[in-house]
Structure formats: structure tokens, C-alpha cells
């Protein structure tokens, strides 16, 4: 596996553990004071969807999708950009997990709104980088010098 895939899969497993832990605590919330379960619901969902599922899928996509390697791109993608995007995705998610419950508890302020805005920009920016780097790696067989499936003269 590439370093990027290792980093993303390990981070996704960390988010899975964190999300399942929060979810387990949400199941026994009667034993814990306050309405924290309601405050954490959206963050819990993002921990599992963005942190675990999306990051795992994208990390594996970088590993499995065909690569057009070149001397300037020995991995078939720009590793520095992809690692920066993985960092941005995770930092954005951490910011959201911190700021969103504060917003929901009535501690909304210009600061929490700014943190949520930064979180959004980081996550959207990361996804744009992932899509831009993975998009050219999706092509039919015809691009590799072989006929695409179903190509050729029709009989019948």
C-alpha cells in the first residue's frame, strides 16, 4: 500500500473507533447528565460518514484505481497534495466535532461560526483535491490501447 492509503485507512479506523464509542455512550445517555446526546448527534454522524466511510473509500480508491505513472508522477498522483487533502479532511472534521456541539448547546458565537466555516472549507477543499486526482484514473479499456467493451463491428 502507498503511504497515503495507509494514513487514510488508519485515520478512518480511528474515526470508526471514536464514532462507535460516542454511539455507545449515546445508548446509555440516561447515566450521563445533560442533553449531550442531542448535541453530539450530527457530529457523531459526520465522524462515521466522513471520518470512517468516506475516508476509507477514498484511501482504498487511491490504492486500487488504475494509475498513469510518469517520471514526474511515480505514484500516478501527486502525493503531497493528496496528503495535504487528507490532513485538511481530518482537521476539518476535528473542528466540526468541537464547534458543532457548542453551537447546539447555546454557546453559539462568531468564533464557533468561524470554526464551522473553516471546517467546511477544509473538508470541501479536500474532497475537490481527491476528485481532481482520482477522476483521470477512471477510464475504459479503450484508453489503454485495447478496444472498449462492446466496441467493434456489429453482427446481426
Amino acid at each position: 500500500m502507498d503511504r497515503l492509503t495507509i494514513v487514510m485507512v488508519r485515520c478512518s479506523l480511528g474515526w470508526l473507533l471514536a464514532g462507535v464509542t460516542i454511539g455507545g455512550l449515546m445508548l446509555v445517555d440516561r447515566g450521563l447528565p445533560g442533553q449531550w446526546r442531542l448535541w453530539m448527534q450530527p457530529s457523531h454522524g459526520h465522524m462515521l460518514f466522513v471520518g470512517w466511510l468516506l475516508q476509507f473509500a477514498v484511501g482504498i480508491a487511491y490504492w486500487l484505481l488504475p494509475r498513469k505513472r510518469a517520471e514526474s508522477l511515480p505514484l500516478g498522483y501527486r502525493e503531497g497534495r493528496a496528503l495535504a487533502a487528507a490532513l485538511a479532511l481530518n482537521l476539518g472534521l476535528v473542528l466540526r466535532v468541537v464547534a458543532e456541539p457548542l453551537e447546539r448547546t447555546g454557546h453559539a458565537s462568531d468564533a464557533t461560526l468561524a470554526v464551522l466555516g473553516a471546517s467546511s472549507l477544509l473538508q470541501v477543499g479536500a474532497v475537490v483535491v481527491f476528485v481532481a486526482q482520482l477522476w483521470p484514473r477512471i477510464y475504459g479499456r479503450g484508453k489503454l490501447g485495447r478496444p472498449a467493451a462492446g466496441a467493434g463491428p456489429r453482427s446481426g
Side-chain angles (χ1 to χ4, degrees), residues 27-89:
L27 289 173
V28 294
D29 74 325
R30 289 185 310 200
L32 300 170
Q35 296 296 315
W36 72 274
R37 180 180 57 84
L38 297 174
W39 307 330
M40 284 300 296
Q41 280 179 340
S43 296
H44 171 252
H46 275 85
M47 291 166 83
L48 291 173
F49 181 73
V50 175
W52 153 243
L53 183 63
L54 176 72
Q55 188 163 213
F56 184 84
V58 170
I60 296 300
Y62 267 98
W63 181 44
L64 290 180
L65 289 175
R67 301 171 192 217
K68 295 178 185 174
R69 296 177 196 262
E71 207 171 300
S72 62
L73 289 174
L75 293 172
Y77 62 90
R78 300 194 187 288
E79 184 182 38
R81 287 183 192 169
L83 286 168
L87 175 66
L89 183 76

